Amino acid sequence: MELQTTIYIFVGLSFALYLGIAFWARAGSTSEFYVAGGGVHPVTNGMATAADWMSAASFISMAGLISNMGYGGAVFLMGWTGGYVLLAMLLAPYLRKFGKFTVPEFVGDRFYSKAARNVAVLCLLVASLTYIIGQMTGVGVTFARFLGVSSEQGIYIGMAIVFAYAVFGGMKGITYTQVAQYCVLIAAYLVPAFFISLNLTGNFLPQLGLGSSMAGTDVSLLTKLDQVVTDLGFGQYTTTRAGSMLNMFFYTVSLMIGTAGLPHVIVRFFTVPKVADARSSAGWALVFIALLYTTAPAVGAMAKLNLHGTVNSAVGLTQTVNGIEVNPDVVKANGDLYATEASLVYEQRPDWMKRWEKTGLLKWEDKNGDGRIQYYNDKTKNEAAKGKAEAAGWKGNELTVNADIIVLANPEIALLPNWVIALVAAGGLAAALSTAAGLLLAISSAISHDLIKGAIKPDISEKGELMAGKVAMAVAIFVAGWLGLNPPGFAAGTVALAFGIAASTIFPALMMGIFSRTVTDKGAIAGMLSGLFVVLFYVFAHKGIFFIKGTDYLDLIGGANSFFTITPEAFGTVGAMVNFAVAYIVSKMGKPVPKHIQELVESVRVPKGAGSAAAGH
């Protein structure tokens, strides 16, 4: 069966499964729409949370970033995983005990202020909309390649699919759909990784293959990869950092506390029956997430080696009917990567390159007119690499590879069977659509439950609130799609900005709300607004106002990364520090927290049970 037909079958069956589950588990009440009735089993919730969490950024873009950044890509692994530990230990059980539907509802009640609740809604919307841009970018990339449409058309199709199962199913439908999506995406991630690790190292498990020698040699895979990339002018794969050490630290912290402050993840812990179940489901989520996250470094490294091996025969990889295999003699020889005959003749490029060229995410430009593909770092400061490139007559890097295609293209690069490629197509779409649905529900509940019912029309009926939630979600899907057509960067980079916003606004408010009896309503409001302003000011300076190209103002802040070399993706840590400081100072200047609120804070931290999630105000 030809590849495209196989892809249509796999993707079509997965979509039919999602829509069937959504119809079966459709929501009939606000409780089912917002928190799935509060009766989800911890293991089920853990799996749904993992799918909710492992978005297009995790599935599609993270391994691509690790592939490009090498060791520096560890910030994503450590930050996102560490954030879940924070969530499980410091937030999930207490928020579940509080027993409300949403994060803004907790903020409003704890800080005894509708204004605080409305500010939390604003922060949630900004973070969620920024996050969802990355998901729609991932949807566009995946559809563009596997359904033979443009990335713009792919986004439109994705909008329609999410609308169908998220609007009608609510949290109840989304929960069970996400369980199915997790099964699809984890299989799609692991199966090709097993194949590729076996071909390159003879070791079936990619986690072990990453530290193994290449098949038939005593040369370790990472040593060979380091030799190839440094010879071609790239940074050493196993040591390159994400900017300065300070930036790498701030980046990791921002991702950690941003994870713990993401509303679409937090709301999942309102769907379980008891407080203990909230902590248990966070633990299960970590187990399910670990399956992908411990595999990602191997996927990134092996994909990079396979890509170089495809366009440069001196790397020592050979294309066979069973996929890319190691040529031990060539690997040991450390041949000349700049030799004329080593570079791949463009007309002899494999079919996968032709397919990805149609999407515009892989491009070749023959700069020296020799009809061969030269892939190297033409901006390197490595004088030896510069000299070799000039001596070989290379006139600049000729191959541009978008970081977001690495995982999706990985089984094609490795020449794996068509069914594996089709499985990855279904997995990529499952990852992007599952998180998009969770984000849209968070946006919907913030508008219908917290803004309309909580502030604008408190006497709205349950039926009216449910309809408002569905309308809000439909509008959010439209806005998300429009933003996805004009993203500020690749998927994981865009998502990192959303984490920075959550880190600087929601996380500090939740932490102070749970663990401090002295932070007042005005302190919380001032803290959230100051954190949001600081981060957006710095991000917009780099990315443009509301991510509109040409509206950046780097000169105003002294140039790119001018604040102690910190990048905009890492600036959430600074925003969080500002939030905590401002909230503390403003609280000291005003009236103390009312006694009944102090007692509420104490009761939330007492390790006793909690009732079901309620919509009371």
Side-chain angles (χ1 to χ4, degrees):
M1 188 181 297
E2 65 178 37
L3 176 60
Q4 199 60 46
T5 303
T6 309
I7 289 172
Y8 286 143
I9 291 173
F10 271 68
V11 172
L13 288 174
S14 66
F15 280 0
L17 175 64
Y18 307 152
L19 294 174
I21 291 172
F23 180 78
W24 165 73
R26 59 192 181 277
S29 67
T30 54
S31 177
E32 289 183 337
F33 188 80
Y34 292 131
V35 292
V40 179
H41 191 277
V43 177
T44 304
N45 193 53
M47 194 175 291
T49 304
D52 203 358
W53 172 241
M54 290 191 298
S55 61
S58 290
F59 186 96
I60 297 172
S61 197
M62 183 175 65
L65 281 174
I66 295 172
S67 181
N68 279 1
M69 298 168 67
Y71 166 74
V75 298
F76 292 93
L77 293 171
M78 298 304 295
W80 286 341
T81 309
Y84 248 96
V85 177
L86 285 180
L87 187 60
M89 297 296 293
L90 300 179
L91 295 179
Y94 304 113
L95 291 172
R96 175 61 191 89
K97 184 174 181 183
F98 197 79
K100 297 296 182 180
F101 278 153
T102 66
V103 169
E105 196 168 18
F106 168 81
V107 172
D109 283 14
R110 159 58 185 88
F111 295 109
Y112 51 96
S113 167
K114 285 189 176 181
R117 180 173 178 158
N118 293 339
V119 170
V121 171
L122 171 66
C123 296
L124 183 152
L125 291 176
V126 173
S128 297
L129 282 172
T130 305
Y131 198 150
I132 209 169
I133 299 172
Q135 308 317 308
M136 300 315 272
T137 302
V139 169
V141 169
T142 310
F143 272 115
R145 162 59 192 91
F146 292 113
L147 296 187
V149 298
S150 69
S151 59
E152 290 82 6
Q153 291 172 323
I155 288 174
Y156 296 139
I157 296 171
M159 289 165 62
I161 295 293
V162 173
F163 180 89
Y165 74 77
V167 171
F168 298 108
M171 179 59 88
K172 186 178 178 183
I174 286 171
T175 295
Y176 295 104
T177 302
Q178 285 176 334
V179 170
Q181 287 169 329
Y182 175 80
C183 296
V184 172
L185 77 86
I186 201 65
Y189 206 86
L190 294 180
V191 169
F194 293 153
F195 273 105
I196 294 166
S197 181
L198 191 62
N199 282 354
L200 291 181
T201 68
N203 200 316
F204 183 71
L205 290 175
Q207 293 90 338
L208 299 178
L210 182 63
S212 302
S213 297
M214 297 185 71
T217 76
D218 57 359
V219 179
S220 80
L221 183 143
L222 287 174
T223 299
K224 183 61 182 178
L225 182 55
D226 271 345
Q227 178 256 314
V228 169
V229 295
T230 52
D231 279 3
L232 292 171
F234 297 98
Q236 189 170 352
Y237 191 82
T238 53
T239 60
T240 303
R241 293 200 305 259
S244 66
M245 184 63 79
L246 178 66
N247 183 70
M248 193 162 177
F249 174 74
F250 271 48
Y251 209 147
T252 305
V253 172
S254 180
L255 292 173
M256 283 181 66
I257 63 178
T259 296
L262 282 176
H264 77 287
V265 175
I266 291 172
V267 74
R268 292 230 57 92
F269 298 103
F270 295 132
T271 66
V272 293
K274 302 190 298 290
V275 174
D277 293 337
R279 200 185 296 274
S280 175
S281 62
W284 278 109
L286 271 172
V287 171
F288 294 126
I289 290 167
L291 289 176
L292 188 148
Y293 272 42
T294 57
T295 308
V299 170
M302 293 175 186
K304 193 174 189 74
L305 190 62
N306 276 339
L307 179 60
H308 282 290
T310 298
V311 298
N312 196 308
S313 61
V315 172
L317 302 182
T318 305
Q319 297 182 18
T320 71
V321 292
N322 296 319
I324 289 183
E325 295 182 357
V326 176
N327 186 326
D329 293 334
V330 178
V331 168
K332 294 175 185 176
N334 285 339
D336 182 7
L337 297 167
Y338 292 89
T340 301
E341 65 277 8
S343 296
L344 177 70
V345 176
Y346 179 70
E347 293 302 325
Q348 297 175 5
R349 69 197 186 283
D351 290 339
W352 73 264
M353 294 186 75
K354 298 174 184 176
R355 292 192 289 262
W356 278 102
E357 281 178 319
K358 293 177 182 177
T359 69
L361 300 171
L362 184 144
K363 300 174 184 176
W364 176 72
E365 180 185 357
D366 193 2
K367 294 181 179 178
N368 64 350
D370 67 350
R372 292 177 178 269
I373 301 173
Q374 280 94 43
Y375 180 42
Y376 71 113
N377 182 12
D378 54 8
K379 296 179 176 62
T380 183
K381 295 179 181 178
N382 183 336
E383 294 300 326
K386 275 185 179 179
K388 289 179 182 178
E390 290 173 6
W394 292 11
K395 302 295 184 183
N397 177 53
E398 298 180 347
L399 190 67
T400 303
V401 184
N402 187 299
D404 284 343
I405 77 169
I406 290 296
V407 169
L408 298 177
N410 203 21
E412 296 181 87
I413 297 171
L415 305 177
L416 297 183
N418 286 352
W419 70 267
V420 179
I421 298 171
L423 180 62
V424 170
L429 291 170
L433 295 175
S434 63
T435 302
L439 286 164
L440 288 165
L441 187 68
I443 293 169
S444 167
S445 61
I447 293 173
S448 62
H449 188 65
D450 295 304
L451 198 59
I452 296 176
K453 185 175 179 63
I456 298 173
K457 193 177 180 182
D459 59 343
I460 190 172
S461 66
E462 180 173 312
K463 186 176 180 180
E465 184 184 349
L466 193 61
M467 179 55 66
K470 292 180 177 181
V471 171
M473 189 179 287
V475 173
I477 290 172
F478 174 79
V479 174
W482 179 79
L483 290 171
L485 294 172
N486 301 281
F490 48 82
T494 305
V495 165
L497 298 176
F499 278 76
I501 294 167
S504 63
T505 57
I506 297 170
F507 175 78
L510 294 178
M511 286 294 291
M512 291 183 289
I514 293 170
F515 295 102
S516 172
R517 292 181 301 171
T518 60
V519 177
T520 65
D521 56 340
K522 292 181 175 58
I525 292 169
M528 285 188 287
L529 289 176
S530 59
L532 181 64
F533 173 78
V534 164
V535 169
L536 289 184
F537 180 79
Y538 196 74
V539 167
F540 289 165
H542 290 78
K543 307 289 184 179
I545 299 172
F546 296 106
F547 307 127
I548 299 172
K549 293 177 181 178
T551 60
D552 55 281
Y553 44 89
L554 282 175
D555 292 341
L556 188 62
I557 65 169
N561 310 332
S562 55
F563 190 82
F564 297 100
T565 72
I566 297 172
T567 58
E569 292 84 2
F571 210 70
T573 303
V574 178
M577 293 164 65
V578 170
N579 188 331
F580 279 116
V582 169
Y584 178 80
I585 292 169
V586 172
S587 296
K588 286 291 184 184
M589 295 168 59
K591 294 180 180 179
V593 175
K595 187 176 181 181
H596 72 281
I597 297 297
Q598 295 186 41
E599 292 171 352
L600 174 66
V601 173
E602 286 296 321
S603 69
V604 166
R605 294 207 303 271
V606 174
K608 292 182 180 178
S612 61
H617 301 282

